[in-house]
Amino acid sequence: MPRNFELRRTSGVMVLMVILGFILTSGSAKAQTRGIFIPYSSVGVGLGTSNYYGDMAPYRRPLASTFKMMRWSIGANYTRHFTPRLAARASFNYARIAGDDYIMNRDSKHENNIFYARNLHFRNDLKEFSVQGIYKLTPDNRSYDRRPQFGAYLFAGVALTAHNPKARVPSEADWTRMMPGVEYPGEGEWVKLQPLGTEGQGNPGYDKKYSLVQFAIPVGIGVRYKINARFDISAELGFRKTFTDYLDDAHGKYANPALFANNPLAAAMANRTQEHVAVRKGADRTESLKKFVQANYLNSAPDADPYAEMIIHGFANPGQERGNSPTNKDNYMFGQIHLHYILPSQIKCPPLK
C-alpha cells in the first residue's frame, strides 16, 4: 500500500512537470513568434539633382563644382526588407550631368587659367541600373506597420551606366571663320562626341574609342520618414565612383589636326580654344582672353589679338594636355527625394463557404 501511494505521488509530480513544461514552452514559442520579423517589400519613385566631378568640375573647388552646373535626376526602385536592419534594392535612374569651362571660370579670379582658354563643355544623359545593399541605422520593428517614425540608412552596391557625351557646335560666326566654305551644322545643334574621336581615338597611335557603357560603385546615406502604414518619404545623397575619365569626353592630349582633315565637325569639337563665343551662354570671350594672354605670355603686346597669340605660343598644340586630370576618373552624384509605397506582405484568401 505505501508502495502504490509513492508510485501515484511520483506519477502526479511527473504529470505536473510535463504540463508546466508544456505551458512554459508554449509561452516561449509564442513570445518568439511575436518577435519574428516579417519581411516586406516596397516600391518608390524619386526626383532630385545630379552633379558631375571631373575635368571641368574639379574637386579642388568643391562648392563651385557642386552647385554651378547642377542638373536633374529621376528614378524608380524596388526594395526588399529581409531583416530589421538589412535590405536590398534594385533601382533605375535617368539623369543629366554637364560641365562648362566658361561657366566655371568666367569670374575675374579664374579667367586667367588655362581651363577658361580651353573652352570645352559637354552634357551627358545617364541611364543607370544598380543593385544596392542597405543597412538601416534605425532598425525596423517586427512588421512593416510598426516601423519607426524616423530612420536613417547607409547603402552601397554596383551600377551599370549607359552614357553618351554631347557638345554644342560653335556659333555660326566662329564656324564660318574657322571652317570657310563648309556647311554650318545648325545653330544650337548638340552632337555626339564619342564617334568623332576628339582626342584621336580609333586612329593608329591613339587610344581606342571609349565605351559608352561603364561600371560604377554607388555609396550613400539616406533618411526616412513614415507618413502612414503604407507610405514613406526619404531623402538621400548617393555618390557614384566610376572607372572612366570620359563622361565629359576630355581625358588625354590634343590630337594632330591632320587626323580631322576630312571631318571638319570633329576638328571643330576637338579644339575649341579659337572660338570667340562661349556657345552655351552666347558670351564674347575676347576681353577675358586678352587677360589670359597677358598673364601667361608676358612678351605679348597689350593690344594683341589673343587668339593669334595663343597660336603663336603653341597653346593647345598636339601632345599638350586636353584633359586636366588624366590619372583621375570622372564621378557623379545624385541627391533625390523618394516616395515609397509598402507592398502588402500577405495575400489573404477568401473564406471557404
Side-chain angles (χ1 to χ4, degrees), residues 1-299:
M1 192 70 177
R3 184 177 178 181
N4 291 337
F5 176 78
E6 290 291 330
L7 184 60
R8 290 195 195 99
R9 187 173 65 178
T10 303
S11 300
V13 170
M14 290 182 65
V15 171
L16 183 62
M17 290 179 64
V18 169
I19 294 173
L20 182 61
F22 178 79
I23 293 173
L24 291 175
T25 303
S26 176
S28 176
K30 289 180 180 179
Q32 290 180 13
T33 302
R34 287 197 301 268
I36 291 176
F37 177 77
I38 302 174
Y40 65 95
S41 301
S42 63
V43 293
V45 293
L47 177 66
T49 63
S50 68
N51 301 89
Y52 142 85
Y53 302 96
D55 298 88
M56 298 172 213
Y59 288 106
R60 66 178 179 275
R61 299 176 58 193
L63 292 179
S65 296
T66 299
F67 295 106
K68 280 197 172 185
M69 294 297 293
M70 185 179 288
R71 291 298 182 266
W72 50 265
S73 66
I74 58 175
N77 59 71
Y78 168 82
T79 305
R80 181 64 174 172
H81 301 261
F82 296 105
T83 75
R85 286 195 181 273
L86 298 178
R89 175 171 67 184
S91 65
F92 176 79
N93 285 295
Y94 181 49
R96 173 169 293 174
I97 58 174
D100 190 323
D101 281 337
Y102 172 77
I103 292 176
M104 284 292 294
N105 300 286
R106 59 184 168 181
D107 57 282
S108 58
K109 182 179 179 180
H110 298 96
E111 63 185 2
N112 291 337
N113 67 38
I114 61 173
F115 309 123
Y116 181 92
R118 182 177 60 178
N119 193 39
L120 293 177
H121 72 270
F122 83 101
R123 79 178 188 194
N124 198 341
D125 291 344
L126 309 178
K127 304 170 193 66
E128 177 201 82
F129 175 77
S130 68
V131 178
Q132 303 161 15
I134 298 174
Y135 178 76
K136 291 174 260 189
L137 300 173
T138 309
D140 284 340
N141 291 318
R142 64 179 182 267
S143 60
Y144 73 87
D145 57 328
R146 296 177 183 237
R147 64 193 184 280
Q149 195 74 37
F150 293 94
Y153 57 93
L154 305 174
F155 64 87
V158 62
L160 197 63
T161 302
H163 73 108
N164 202 352
K166 298 179 181 181
R168 184 172 283 175
V169 299
S171 68
E172 187 170 7
D174 279 331
W175 180 273
T176 302
R177 178 174 50 80
M178 296 185 298
M179 307 290 175
V182 179
E183 182 180 358
Y184 184 52
E187 191 75 38
E189 185 80 11
W190 288 87
V191 297
K192 299 175 182 178
L193 298 172
Q194 188 258 16
L196 301 178
T198 54
E199 294 179 356
Q201 299 99 328
N203 290 285
Y206 292 86
D207 293 340
K208 65 179 181 179
K209 291 188 177 180
Y210 53 87
S211 174
L212 295 180
V213 178
Q214 298 289 338
F215 282 103
I217 298 176
V219 294
I221 187 170
V223 292
R224 176 200 57 78
Y225 175 75
K226 176 183 175 183
I227 300 174
N228 57 37
R230 289 291 184 187
F231 285 95
D232 283 349
I233 189 169
S234 68
E236 66 178 49
L237 194 64
F239 182 82
R240 269 66 173 173
K241 170 65 180 174
T242 79
F243 299 91
T244 180
D245 192 34
Y246 283 112
L247 292 182
D248 51 17
D249 190 64
H251 165 74
K253 304 178 185 297
Y254 285 97
N256 189 333
L259 295 176
F260 311 121
N262 298 320
N263 192 340
L265 179 60
M269 308 305 275
N271 185 346
R272 312 202 65 155
T273 61
Q274 296 299 306
E275 294 179 29
H276 292 206
V277 176
V279 291
R280 291 190 74 255
K281 289 295 182 181
D284 193 322
R285 304 193 314 134
T286 306
E287 292 304 315
S288 294
L289 280 180
K290 285 183 179 180
K291 298 177 183 178
F292 167 79
V293 168
Q294 286 296 302
N296 293 278
Y297 309 124
L298 300 179
N299 57 340

Side-chain angles (χ1 to χ4, degrees), residues 344-350:
S345 57
Q346 294 180 349
I347 299 176
K348 296 183 179 180
C349 299

